[in-house]
Amino acid sequence: MSSDQVHAGNLTVTLREAVREAADPAKERLVADGVPAKLAARDSSLWGPEAAEEAAIRLNWIDLPRSSRALLPELERVATQKRAAGLDRVVLAGMGGSSLAPEVIAASRGAELTTLDTTDPHQVRRAISDRLERTVLVVSSKSGGTVETDSHRRAFEQAFRDAGIDPAERIVVVTDPGSPLAELAEERGYTTFLADPNVGGRYSALTAFGLVPSALAGVDVESLLKEAGALTDALSADSGNAALELGAALGGFTGHDKVVLAGDTPAGLGDWIEQLVAESTGKSGTGLLPVVVEGVDAPGFVPGPDSHLVAFSESGAPEAELADTLVTGPLGAQFLAWEYATAVAGRLLGIDPFNQPNVQESKDNTKALLERSGDGPLPTGTPLLVEDAVEVHLADAAGPSLFTDAKDLAEVLQRLVRAVPEAGYLAVMAYLDRDEEGDGAAARLRMALAELTPRPVTFGWGPRFLHSTGQYHKGGPSNGVFLQITGEVTDDLDVPGRPYSFGRLQTAQALGDFGALSERERPALRLHLRDRAAGLAQLRQALERVQP
């Protein structure tokens, strides 16, 4: 690629000429306004007066390579103690910023970590039944009241007690000071790590939220802090600041608001970047839509005129050669650089990169559905049509002109892909079992649909995506078309101490978000699989009959 490189410490950002032409004027504006020095000094005024109050309590991530070192002695002590007790399986109960970073850290370092960021009862039940006698559960929630994480904790506590195990010997809590979870952990004697409250969840990779589960899983987390620390000195500089270059490219490449993420080094980094960028920028009708792809040689990959291909593979990989922007460096540096760049892009876009005004909406809808329905059935609605194992449900805003007279599933899907506007995207949201259905038909849906439309296709596991791209879906530009997939529960699991099961909670979350999309008149379709395996196979067959 014809390009320019900027090195900072152990990180390199390479920009193709077209990106450089757009990024340079943006960087000049940032430098003229003193942004690098101000951001390094945690100046909360950088995003305007309306964002200043939130920014004032969200900027300590800049200093984490140094400040998080205070965690290391106690973290090493606890990790050694657990391993000495034969507890070598770590399960992380967390959502969004509390789960994505540790998952990436473990994957990139070759450590085993079971991430539980779902309400699918089949997946939760399997996590509980696997090697419970050797399991440490990390309960990770910044607010201390995340419904999914609270439900996981309750289920594991019950399982430990049923097995004659004291939960206090197995549960490690990560939360903010003063949260309800911190109070409960103190009452029950759970080992607790308190995170810096002045760091937002999606910027928390190098806080206790990222480090505690990773260290318990056997990762040398000190090395992560060293990798990030090598970048720190450059962050206040006007030149030779690779993170500033990346931010200028993301926020200044006008008209390229789909950020296509490709690469496998470090492993899984795209999913973490997706949450950071989507939740930080997708608001006030604007934003950058991350699109994580399996690779530039995967079926259905077609870079669009509004797409910015960002790769994080090493030089020489196919995606690196095609990338508009290439970011190379170790994981710790990548974390810090992307956080810095996202904050910088937020300034260029004119938004507050630290709030998430639309995330709470789906949570409130879920709570209201559970409370209104009591012990009765949830309002799943009457399907438009039923074809063997698949029910087709419409959001109110879908309108009669889109789907109501469709004769079969293939025609529904045909109309779905053709409904994506020229500057829009298609989002697939699967409330299924990520382990059982993840490596099979459900995860391949993104590629199959991408082959049928020139527009970007995203894929998210529910309810995990609600803490990520869910903000963009509702707060970003109104140009998305949405396909939600739910599945029949065959082996439900009660949430101890709550009047609902995991299956009921999962359904309420899907319906709650479906309602939020409908209220915003986003075209949305829900496919309910009466039999998951048969329904996915049927969906795949129907897609084969759809014309591009």
Side-chain angles (χ1 to χ4, degrees), residues 94-108:
M95 298 299 297
S98 298
S99 66
L100 285 165
E103 186 170 84
V104 172
I105 294 168
S108 68

Side-chain angles (χ1 to χ4, degrees), residues 11-32:
L11 191 86
T12 300
V13 171
T14 307
L15 304 182
R16 195 178 291 276
E17 184 177 354
V19 184
R20 168 66 63 199
E21 291 175 356
D24 277 351
K27 188 182 77 169
E28 290 172 5
R29 295 197 305 272
L30 293 167
V31 169

Side-chain angles (χ1 to χ4, degrees), residues 404-447:
T404 46
D405 60 345
K407 297 177 179 60
D408 57 23
L409 181 58
E411 187 174 352
V412 166
L413 294 169
Q414 181 80 73
R415 296 186 186 191
L416 178 80
V417 295
R418 290 183 178 175
V420 182
E422 184 176 348
Y425 65 99
L426 173 62
V428 183
M429 307 162 293
Y431 286 82
L432 298 171
D433 184 334
R434 181 181 168 197
D435 293 338
E436 289 295 298
E437 284 112 24
D439 293 332
R444 289 198 295 270
L445 284 177
R446 198 208 70 79
M447 287 189 290

